Amino acid sequence: MKLFFKILYIIYQIIIGLPVLLFITIFTALEVGIGTTIGNGHFWGYYPGRWWAKIIVRTLLLPIKIEGKENLEKDQSYVFVANHQGIFDIFVIYGYLGRNFKWMMKHELGKIPFIGYACRKSHQIFVDKRGPKKIQRTYERAREILQEGYSVTVFPEGARSFTGHMGIFRKGAFALADELQLPVVPLTINGSFDILPRTKGFINLINWHPLSLTIHQPIYPVGQGPDNVAATMHQAYDSVMSGLVPEYQGFIENPDQ
């Protein structure tokens, strides 16, 4: 019976899931491009992407559970930090976090057809480490977004996991939160690695698996400076780790970091 449903799901993806994913991605990219050109950039830079993510999750029949939304205050800016199990982390956070935010992402993602175009038009923050001036500009842009009252979302591991386990956290996001004295909110994602492991690449059929997003309690700054950065980073790491299913508990080095 399990094999039957797996085969049925593969057929469903080929006939319905992947064509819908391709169409909605192209449509959303064009919508973002036109919307941000003629209208409110913060609206068109967020809501079409949110709808895009939800449509993909629902079209692929993936159940999702969200916990901890009550931990967030309505008008507060946050630095969200999440584990990075796989590509579906994007859909989970974009579609279901429920906050208007900008991504901090690798500059290489700007080269992906349609998605890169939409990210550039919606002024997502590309992390470019090819020299001190480019790094400085990245953090200047993040400061601007946060000071405008919006939030940013970061994968502090910097790369998707090869195993589903967490690697180390880099301190950049925590230093930014410390500088602006903003709370950090840890996010735990489960299920993304099981749906599409990194070793399979992106253009592949996926596995059916439930998804979950846990929004932990915000970590407010206690003081300012290196000690606060280190304490916040360690607390956030422990919070994210605590929300992982037992199968992916524990640190495993990610060679891509």
Side-chain angles (χ1 to χ4, degrees):
M1 185 63 72
K2 186 176 180 180
L3 178 60
F4 170 76
F5 281 111
K6 185 173 183 178
I7 293 171
L8 195 63
Y9 189 55
I10 289 173
I11 295 170
Y12 172 82
Q13 285 183 67
I14 294 171
I15 297 175
I16 297 176
L18 295 181
V20 169
L21 188 153
L22 179 61
F23 170 79
I24 196 64
T25 298
I26 295 172
F27 177 83
T28 301
L30 296 175
E31 183 182 20
V32 169
I34 295 170
T36 53
T37 299
I38 65 176
N40 184 310
H42 286 304
F43 177 89
W44 292 103
Y46 169 66
Y47 285 98
R50 182 183 181 187
W51 301 327
W52 165 77
K54 283 190 172 185
I55 289 170
I56 288 175
V57 170
R58 291 174 180 175
T59 299
L60 294 173
L61 310 178
L62 301 171
I64 185 165
K65 180 180 180 181
I66 314 299
E67 295 181 317
K69 277 192 174 183
E70 68 279 2
N71 292 329
L72 303 180
E73 297 179 23
K74 183 178 179 182
D75 297 318
Q76 174 68 55
S77 294
Y78 294 107
V79 176
F80 293 102
V81 295
N83 61 311
H84 204 3
Q85 282 199 336
I87 290 170
F88 275 79
D89 300 340
I90 307 294
F91 305 134
V92 171
I93 295 174
Y94 222 160
Y96 296 92
L97 181 58
R99 306 289 293 205
N100 195 332
F101 67 89
K102 299 293 184 186
W103 293 99
M104 291 186 71
M105 60 179 68
K106 289 183 175 181
H107 72 92
E108 292 90 348
L109 298 178
K111 301 176 183 178
I112 299 176
F114 298 108
I115 293 175
Y117 167 76
C119 289
R120 289 192 301 273
K121 291 293 292 183
S122 58
H123 303 291
Q124 306 301 328
I125 304 164
F126 291 103
V127 179
D128 193 337
K129 298 180 179 179
R130 296 173 298 177
K133 287 186 178 180
K134 293 183 182 294
I135 295 173
Q136 182 180 0
R137 179 55 192 151
T138 295
Y139 284 96
E140 286 175 356
R141 180 60 185 143
R143 287 189 203 98
E144 291 169 4
I145 292 296
L146 290 163
Q147 288 169 343
E148 289 174 11
Y150 295 92
S151 298
V152 298
T153 298
V154 185
F155 294 116
E157 293 169 90
R160 286 173 287 147
S161 171
F162 282 101
T163 63
H165 295 258
M166 285 171 59
I168 62 173
F169 276 5
R170 304 297 186 185
K171 70 176 184 179
F174 305 97
L176 182 63
D178 174 74
E179 178 186 337
L180 299 178
Q181 289 291 279
L182 291 173
V184 170
V185 178
L187 306 174
T188 301
I189 297 167
N190 282 296
S192 179
F193 181 80
D194 301 279
I195 290 171
L196 188 63
R198 181 176 179 179
T199 51
K200 288 183 66 175
F202 182 66
I203 308 301
N204 263 295
L205 296 176
I206 69 168
N207 305 310
W208 185 93
H209 196 281
L211 288 161
S212 72
L213 171 66
T214 302
I215 304 168
H216 297 277
Q217 290 278 355
I219 304 169
Y220 288 87
V222 179
Q224 190 170 20
D227 289 344
N228 180 58
V229 172
T232 303
M233 182 170 66
H234 292 143
Q235 187 176 344
Y237 190 93
D238 290 344
S239 293
V240 176
M241 181 72 77
S242 71
L244 287 172
V245 296
E247 181 181 358
Y248 298 121
Q249 287 278 340
F251 167 82
I252 291 184
E253 184 177 1
N254 184 347
D256 198 30
Q257 288 190 304

